[in-house]
Amino acid sequence: MSTPHPSSPPLHRLLSAGADAVQAVRDGHSLTEWLTRCPADVRPGAQALSFTVLRRLGAVQALRARLAPKAPPPRVDALLVTALALLWPGETAYTEHTLVDQAVEAARRRAPKNAGFVNAVLRRFLREREALVAALQDDPIATWNHPRWWQEQLQRDWPDHWQALLSANQQRPPMTLRVNPAQGSPSHYLDRLTEAGIAAHPAGDLWPQALVLDEPRPVQALPGFAEGDASVQDASAQLAAPLLLGTMAPQDLAPGEHWPMLGAGAHVLDACSAPGGKTAHLQELAGNRLDLLALDTDAKRLERVQQNLERLQLTARVTPADARNTQAWWDGRPFDGILLDAPCSASGIVRRHPDVRWLRRATDIPALAQIQSELLEALWPLLKPGGRLLYATCSVFKAEGQDQIDAFLQRHGDARWRQFTRGAGHLLPLADNASQEPPRGAAVTDGFFYALLQKLPSA
C-alpha cells in the first residue's frame, strides 16, 4: 500500500475534489465536462478517484444507506461514498488509517459539523466490513454497479453475455495507439516506444496500425506525438476508416464482383466528426487525398477536429452543422462515401467513461434511436448510386445497432447491408470480442456497432 507522493496535493484535497466530481455526476453532469473546470493540480487525482468510485457507486451508495439510513447533506454523502469506495476490499491505493484520517480532514474543511459523523461511519465499516459487504449480495445494483434498467436491457439483447458485459465495464481500458502511416510503420514506432521505455504490442491483424500499451502513459511521453507520428484511438474505432474506404472487403462479394477503394478525389462526408479521430484516420489511409467534409453540431468540439488534423498534417473542410438539416450545408454534390458515427448511449465505452451508466436513463435509448433514424433518412439521399454509408455507434444496445439497421432496410429497398467475417456488426467489449456469432477478434476493445450500407444502382 502506498501514500501520496510528497509533491502531490494532500490526500484530503484529492478526496474533496473526487467527492465533488461524484456529486456532479449524481446531479446529472458529465464527468469529462466537470474535470475541465477542476483545478489543474488536483485534476489527475480527482479523475482517478472518481473513476474508482463511479465503478463501484451502486455498492457504496447501498452501503452508505445501511451505515447511515438518514442521508447526510449531499457534500458529506459524496465524501462518504468516495471514502467507502477506497476502503472497499481489494483497494490498496492508501492505507486504511491514512484514508480515514484524510477523509475526516476533508470533512472538517467542507462540513465541520459532520467530521465526527464521517469518522464514525468509516470506522464502523472497517470493523464490520466483511459482513456489510456480504449483506449487499442480494442487491443487483450493488452487485453489478449498473442501474437496473441497464442490466435488463443487456439481459434482453445479450442473454448469454450480459454478466460478462457488466463485469467488463468494471475493468480499466487499454490505451491503444494508431500509428500514422505517413510517418513510419507500426513496427518502427514500436521500436521507438521500446527505446523510450514504453512497453507495447500489436493489437492484431484486424488493426494493422494499432499498438496497445502495457500501461497508459501521458501523450506527452509518446515519441513524436506532437509531430503527428501517432494518435490515441481504441482498436474498435480504428475499424471505421478501413470499412468505409474499402481496405477491408465484404465477405459477400459475388464471383467477379470488384470492390473499389475510395481514394484520391473521392467525395466523402464525416457527418458527426468530433473529436476527429475517425476523420483523421480516413485521410491517413487515403494519403490525405480525399475530398473530405467534416460536420458536427458542436462548434466548440469541432475545434478539436481541426487541432487533430493540423497535428497530423491533414486537411478537411470542417463545418459546424446539424447533418439532418441538409439544406443548410449540402452543395448538391452526391457523396461517394458517408461515415455516420451517430450520437448514441455510449454503452460500449463505459470502461472509459464510468459516469455514462449513471447519467443515462432508459428513456434516452428510444430518443437516441430516433435521432439516429433521422440522420440515416437525411443522409441516404445524398449518396451516389453504388456509394456506401457506414453507420457506427459506440453502443452495445441492439436498439442502436442491429434493430436500427433492420428497420432502415425495411424502409429502403435500394440499400444492401454488406457483410464482413470480422470487424463489423455488434462488437462486444469482451476478451474475445464475442458476439452471437463466432469471435470477431482477439484484442480487448470498446463496444461498437458497424453496418456498411451500399446504395444499389437505379433499375
Side-chain angles (χ1 to χ4, degrees):
M1 290 189 277
S2 62
T3 55
H5 189 276
S7 63
S8 67
L11 179 55
H12 67 79
R13 280 195 66 207
L14 298 182
L15 288 169
S16 192
D20 287 343
V22 171
Q23 188 56 41
V25 172
R26 298 203 298 189
D27 289 339
H29 302 292
S30 161
L31 178 60
T32 301
E33 181 183 336
W34 185 90
L35 287 169
T36 63
R37 301 194 298 271
C38 181
D41 64 326
V42 297
R43 187 180 302 142
Q47 175 173 309
L49 293 186
S50 61
F51 271 41
T52 296
V53 180
L54 291 169
R55 289 190 177 110
R56 214 181 294 281
L57 189 60
V60 291
Q61 288 187 150
L63 175 62
R64 198 280 300 152
R66 284 179 174 268
L67 289 165
K70 183 180 178 181
R75 280 169 57 82
V76 177
D77 190 26
L79 178 62
L80 262 181
V81 299
T82 297
L84 289 168
L86 297 171
L87 290 170
W88 196 264
E91 289 292 337
T92 59
Y94 305 100
T95 65
E96 294 171 358
H97 171 78
T98 298
L99 199 289
V100 173
D101 177 72
Q102 291 294 291
V104 172
E105 180 62 25
R108 287 196 186 102
R109 293 169 181 256
R110 64 197 280 128
K113 294 180 180 179
N114 293 103
F117 167 74
V118 169
N119 183 56
V121 170
L122 296 181
R123 292 192 181 280
R124 181 189 166 195
F125 175 57
L126 291 178
R127 290 194 306 270
E128 305 174 23
R129 180 162 46 188
E130 185 175 340
L132 286 165
V133 170
L136 300 176
Q137 292 179 353
D138 293 334
D139 182 341
I141 297 177
T143 299
W144 296 107
N145 289 290
H146 287 71
R148 195 76 185 97
W149 73 265
W150 190 299
Q151 298 178 42
E152 292 167 352
Q153 185 70 53
L154 289 181
Q155 289 173 26
R156 288 192 295 271
D157 287 348
W158 304 105
D160 295 332
H161 301 302
W162 69 273
Q163 292 177 316
L165 287 168
L166 293 171
S167 296
N169 286 345
Q170 299 297 89
Q171 306 305 311
R172 290 172 173 80
M175 183 173 177
T176 305
L177 307 182
R178 187 188 75 239
V179 179
N180 185 351
Q183 305 288 70
S185 68
S187 61
H188 176 64
Y189 193 76
L190 187 58
D191 291 340
R192 294 175 63 191
L193 288 172
T194 302
E195 291 170 4
I198 301 174
H201 58 275
D205 61 350
L206 191 59
W207 309 276
Q209 292 175 257
L211 299 175
V212 182
L213 303 188
D214 287 7
E215 296 290 340
R217 297 295 182 97
V219 293
Q220 296 84 355
L222 302 176
F225 183 84
E227 292 74 33
D229 295 358
S231 300
V232 178
Q233 188 181 41
D234 183 78
S236 283
Q238 292 190 41
L239 295 169
L243 283 168
L244 181 64
L245 296 184
T247 59
M248 293 171 61
Q251 73 177 63
D252 58 356
L253 293 176
E257 182 182 0
H258 174 61
W259 189 249
M261 282 275 296
L262 297 183
H267 191 36
V268 174
L269 170 67
D270 187 349
C272 305
S273 61
K278 299 180 186 69
T279 315
H281 196 192
L282 287 166
Q283 283 291 40
E284 282 181 359
L285 289 186
N288 201 32
R289 293 180 295 174
L290 295 175
D291 175 14
L292 180 59
L293 173 62
L295 304 180
D296 204 88
T297 57
D298 190 333
K300 190 70 176 175
R301 295 186 74 221
L302 272 177
E303 294 176 8
R304 287 277 307 281
V305 179
Q306 191 62 54
Q307 291 165 2
N308 275 322
L309 291 169
E310 290 173 359
R311 182 179 64 83
L312 295 162
Q313 303 174 51
L314 301 169
T315 58
R317 286 174 291 129
V318 179
T319 301
D322 184 336
R324 293 173 292 182
N325 185 15
T326 58
Q327 292 183 339
W329 58 266
W330 187 44
D331 63 5
R333 289 190 298 146
F335 291 98
D336 299 290
I338 296 174
L339 171 59
L340 172 53
D341 187 8
C344 72
S345 64
S347 58
I349 56 173
V350 179
R351 296 180 305 166
R352 299 184 189 281
H353 300 279
D355 56 327
V356 164
R357 72 191 93 177
W358 307 116
L359 293 172
R360 290 288 180 217
R361 301 291 179 265
T363 52
D364 292 340
I365 309 308
L368 287 162
Q370 179 61 33
I371 294 171
Q372 296 152 10
S373 178
E374 291 170 2
L375 283 162
L376 282 165
E377 292 299 323
L379 296 176
W380 189 250
L382 279 53
L383 195 63
K384 288 180 180 177
R388 59 192 77 157
L389 182 152
L390 181 65
Y391 172 80
T393 59
C394 53
S395 175
V396 295
F397 295 150
K398 289 190 175 181
E400 302 179 286
Q402 182 177 335
D403 294 351
Q404 181 72 256
I405 296 305
D406 285 344
F408 179 82
L409 294 173
Q410 289 292 320
R411 299 192 301 268
H412 293 273
D414 61 345
R416 180 182 179 189
W417 185 356
R418 303 307 302 248
Q419 300 300 308
F420 292 79
T421 305
R422 302 167 66 205
H426 276 287
L427 308 176
L428 302 184
L430 302 176
D432 62 355
N433 222 354
S435 75
Q436 288 181 315
E437 294 150 13
R440 300 181 184 277
V444 178
T445 63
D446 288 343
F448 254 82
F449 176 80
Y450 287 112
L452 186 66
L453 304 173
Q454 186 178 24
K455 194 168 197 176
L456 301 176
S458 301

